[in-house]
Amino acid sequence: MSAPDLRVGDEVRVFDQNGRRMGQPDAGWPGTVTKIGRLLVTIEYRGKSAQFRLDTQVVNDGYGHRYFKTLQQAARHQRLGRALYTLHEHQIRLAVGHRLTLEQIEALADVARKF
């Protein structure tokens, strides 16, 4: 994953692997970039501040359960989730390691909806 193009003041979304148990909204917690360094970005969310690695977008701690996405990344992720859910409802499974683009998966989901 390449480092996202971020600026101080940009809005992002913060996610946690255990987010559902923590009351995390489906779209993630809103956060704001407050500082950008060479390797780390500081994001303020839920009334606290955390540092995330720029290269992986994962929180800079020993666990790595939290990560952030830009608004564009979060929107693409939601689109993918909706399309995969539609395929799942129609009992269509994609092979692990498939090379389909988001747009191809959405087109396949549209075809599945029509049946």
Side-chain angles (χ1 to χ4, degrees), residues 28-99:
W29 291 296
T32 304
V33 175
T34 57
K35 182 179 175 184
I36 301 174
R38 239 175 14 92
L39 300 174
L40 300 175
V41 58
T42 303
I43 297 174
E44 190 171 301
Y45 71 102
R46 296 182 69 197
K48 61 183 173 186
S49 201
Q51 291 185 327
F52 295 80
R53 293 182 51 90
L54 272 172
D55 59 348
T56 62
Q57 296 179 227
V58 174
V59 72
N60 193 40
D61 67 7
Y63 302 106
H65 290 174
R66 283 176 286 148
Y67 57 96
F68 78 93
K69 292 180 183 273
T70 64
L71 295 181
Q72 295 81 12
Q73 289 171 330
R76 287 185 64 83
H77 184 76
Q78 284 188 321
R79 286 174 51 198
L80 177 62
R82 285 192 298 270
L84 290 175
Y85 181 77
T86 298
L87 294 176
H88 177 78
E89 284 182 318
H90 291 85
Q91 297 166 1
I92 299 170
R93 308 283 185 266
L94 299 178
V96 174
H98 68 81
R99 296 180 188 263

